[in-house]
Amino acid sequence: MIDNPLMNKKYLLIDLDGTLIDTADITLKPMKDGQVNTNLSRIQVFEGAANFLAEAEGLGFECVILSDSHPKYVNPIVRNFFGSTPALSLADKPNTLKALNFLQELGIEPLKSICYVLGDSWLDVELGRGLRVPTILTEFYEAQTLEIRDGIGDYIKNIKSGPTYFAKNYSEILEILRNPLQKLLCLEAGLRGINSCIARKPHPDIREEGKWSVHRTLARQAPGECDQYNATDKYFEFNRADRSEQLLHAVRDSVIAYVDRILSNQAYSWEVFTYVPDKGTTQPPNKMGELFNLISKQIRQTTPHLACLNIFEWSDEVISSTRKQPTAAERRKFVGSNLNLQPEVDVRGKSVIILDDQYTTGATADALTEQLQARGAQNVLFVALFHLVSPVNSSKLCPRCLANGLTKQLQIKIKRSDGSKFYSCVPPQYRGDGCGYTENIG
Ligand SMILES: [Zn+2]
């Protein structure tokens, strides 16, 4: 094997506002935009930020700051608080072009080194995905309102952007940098033969009338560009008739590891474990049922008090599918009127874990939780294997559109039939605005 000296290089590309400095205050906006001079006495550095940079450097990382704010704001702040750390202003996230040029000037090749993007918004995550490196989404403070920073405080949007990791403080980030594989999501780690019980919260937990409704996902299904840990190809394999036993077993083991962790928490008790069944017409048939049977076979041995049951059934007349309903409201209505809690099932006072394959808007989770709680169920935990996150374009442009004077970015797609990857200038029939040009990859 040829030793690649670049692979020993480690880089941390860090957002400034909200990640190193506490600047959610809307009155700082004219400074960020360079309309007024930056008053350093108004800039609050997060406690431990400088120490965090020093510790990351101690782990061998070179830090680089990438900020969308104006150089009149970024440069004095970095010089004053973070010494000689290189910094790019007006980075134009989530577009990768300026960041790539800046990194090239610094002699940094993200794909040939160990590189992470760290930040507190979907802009940072989508930038990192565009660079195809792992991302760490931070949440150091709660935004005061959803509007205060152009939706940046929107938890769901940030999570939906598909970060590899999520961290609540600097020491969690350092843990990720030390043990990147062990800190992957449960199923993403499991597919690499590594144990993790980490799940993602695609929606804030809800507590109404003393009952919890909780959603969790175990891997990312990422349309377009992403880091190497995403499980998109496995999602497609899982849905094929010729899926491998190896995949099925890896999924089984990951779900069991996660459910075991949930059951080991003595603060909550769970009485029923169930799943979202496939419709009779689904191809391949019984894809979730087969997985559920494998999982419950083991859970029945270790946890006999947990009833593993199929309690939902599709109505006979159902012809369409949840995936074909365009909005969350329509999905919820579709599931609510076609997938029903069987009439003889008694869930009064019981807490229920539901397993599903894909999480998109949470509509299925909401509709089933509503049915369960209407029939007297206590807490509901909805666990989905794959979380469909936002699409991210590649920096590659469509040659056919370019020849017609149009600039359209291609998206990486995966063929359902064989899992192969291709670039697509996504046409309207797939909810894009491109010309339909495709090009095989690899
Ligand atoms: Zn095109």
Side-chain angles (χ1 to χ4, degrees):
M1 212 176 101
I2 300 162
D3 191 32
N4 183 349
L6 279 173
M7 276 322 267
N8 301 322
K9 301 256 184 178
K10 301 202 269 187
Y11 302 101
L12 198 53
L13 313 180
I14 314 172
D15 172 48
L16 183 62
D17 289 298
T19 303
L20 294 175
I21 55 180
D22 186 357
T23 44
D25 187 347
I26 192 124
T27 63
L28 295 173
K29 196 165 187 306
M31 273 195 234
K32 292 182 190 177
D33 294 344
Q35 290 159 351
V36 299
N37 284 330
T38 293
N39 175 358
L40 287 173
S41 70
R42 290 204 55 204
I43 303 301
Q44 183 81 41
V45 177
F46 277 123
E47 194 185 330
N51 195 38
F52 161 70
L53 292 186
E55 288 206 42
E57 278 162 19
L59 294 173
F61 284 88
E62 280 181 40
C63 298
V64 176
I65 291 170
L66 302 179
S67 172
D68 276 344
S69 295
H70 196 274
K72 275 172 70 181
Y73 170 85
V74 173
N75 292 341
I77 290 173
V78 171
R79 227 176 307 143
N80 193 65
F81 299 111
F82 307 112
S84 58
T85 310
L88 172 68
S89 316
L90 299 174
D92 192 29
K93 300 170 195 175
N95 299 306
T96 51
L97 191 66
K98 283 185 153 187
L100 278 170
N101 287 341
F102 184 67
L103 295 174
Q104 195 177 19
E105 281 171 30
L106 297 172
I108 299 173
E109 297 187 62
L111 281 178
K112 292 186 180 164
S113 38
I114 294 169
C115 186
Y116 296 85
V117 169
L118 168 64
D120 69 325
S121 100
W122 62 273
L123 294 163
D124 303 296
V125 176
E126 291 195 359
L127 170 73
R129 281 181 53 199
L131 297 172
R132 290 157 64 194
V133 303
T135 52
I136 306 172
L137 178 69
T138 63
E139 195 181 58
F140 296 163
Y141 54 64
E142 314 253 334
Q144 293 153 29
T145 74
L146 283 185
E147 296 77 24
I148 194 162
R149 295 182 298 151
D150 308 324
I152 286 169
D154 187 337
Y155 175 85
I156 295 172
K157 186 175 171 79
N158 287 344
I159 289 291
K160 183 86 177 164
S161 67
T164 323
Y165 305 102
F166 182 78
K168 283 195 116 46
N169 52 52
Y170 291 127
S171 68
E172 283 185 11
I173 299 170
L174 292 166
E175 269 308 297
I176 291 163
L177 299 179
R178 283 190 198 102
N179 304 298
L181 296 175
Q182 288 74 17
K183 294 291 172 183
L184 288 173
L185 288 177
C186 175
L187 181 53
E188 292 181 19
L191 292 168
R192 287 170 174 74
I194 293 157
N195 292 323
S196 154
C197 297
I198 299 170
R200 183 71 32 91
K201 181 159 66 170
H203 187 287
D205 299 343
I206 297 168
R207 189 174 163 90
E208 271 171 13
E209 295 167 19
K211 297 174 175 191
W212 282 108
S213 164
V214 173
H215 304 173
R216 294 291 183 272
T217 59
L218 305 184
R220 294 163 302 152
Q221 176 199 345
E225 303 281 354
C226 198
D227 60 82
Q228 72 272 30
Y229 300 130
N230 80 88
T232 313
D233 54 341
K234 301 299 181 193
Y235 167 79
F236 287 108
E237 186 186 339
F238 184 78
N239 281 288
R240 288 205 308 269
D242 66 345
R243 63 188 182 182
S244 70
E245 194 150 277
Q246 190 193 3
L247 172 65
L248 207 54
H249 288 172
V251 175
R252 173 198 64 190
D253 294 345
S254 298
V255 174
I256 288 174
Y258 180 68
V259 170
D260 277 348
R261 169 64 65 91
I262 294 300
L263 296 174
S264 71
N265 181 346
Q266 303 294 323
Y268 299 93
S269 69
W270 301 93
E271 287 76 31
V272 178
F273 178 51
T274 190
Y275 71 106
V276 178
D278 305 296
K279 295 193 296 287
T281 52
T282 304
Q283 286 304 323
N286 206 30
K287 67 181 162 70
M288 280 304 288
E290 189 185 4
L291 173 69
F292 182 76
N293 289 338
L294 284 174
I295 294 168
S296 27
K297 210 166 131 187
Q298 287 203 10
I299 286 186
R300 281 194 191 104
Q301 289 173 5
T302 54
T303 320
H305 71 269
L306 183 70
C308 301
L309 301 166
N310 178 15
I311 61 174
F312 294 106
E313 64 188 353
W314 288 97
S315 61
D316 294 335
E317 305 90 72
V318 58
I319 38 164
S320 188
S321 78
T322 316
R323 218 166 280 154
K324 288 191 180 124
Q325 314 304 312
T327 67
E330 282 164 289
R331 281 165 175 263
R332 184 168 175 161
K333 187 159 171 264
F334 178 83
V335 173
S337 50
N338 289 298
L339 182 58
N340 305 306
L341 182 58
Q342 295 170 17
E344 69 280 8
V345 174
D346 182 6
V347 290
R348 280 174 299 173
K350 292 176 181 165
S351 290
V352 182
I353 302 171
I354 309 172
L355 182 68
D356 197 3
D357 61 342
Q358 190 194 42
Y359 190 97
T360 53
T361 60
T364 302
D366 289 339
L368 298 184
T369 300
E370 190 177 296
Q371 288 190 36
L372 284 166
Q373 292 181 338
R375 291 258 294 270
Q378 180 58 32
N379 301 324
V380 178
L381 166 62
F382 189 90
V383 183
L385 303 174
F386 302 94
H387 184 195
L388 178 64
V389 298
S390 325
V392 167
N393 288 332
S394 77
S395 44
K396 198 173 155 72
L397 299 177
C398 172
R400 195 158 76 190
C401 284
L402 211 54
N404 293 321
L406 293 169
T407 311
K408 298 263 183 215
Q409 287 175 305
L410 296 172
Q411 227 181 66
I412 293 180
K413 294 275 182 187
I414 294 183
K415 267 186 207 136
R416 255 179 200 276
S417 55
D418 62 4
S420 65
K421 291 184 180 167
F422 62 101
Y423 284 112
S424 167
C425 187
V426 186
Q429 77 212 72
Y430 299 112
R431 295 181 207 179
D433 62 353
C435 69
Y437 169 86
T438 62
E439 184 182 320
N440 289 329
I441 298 174

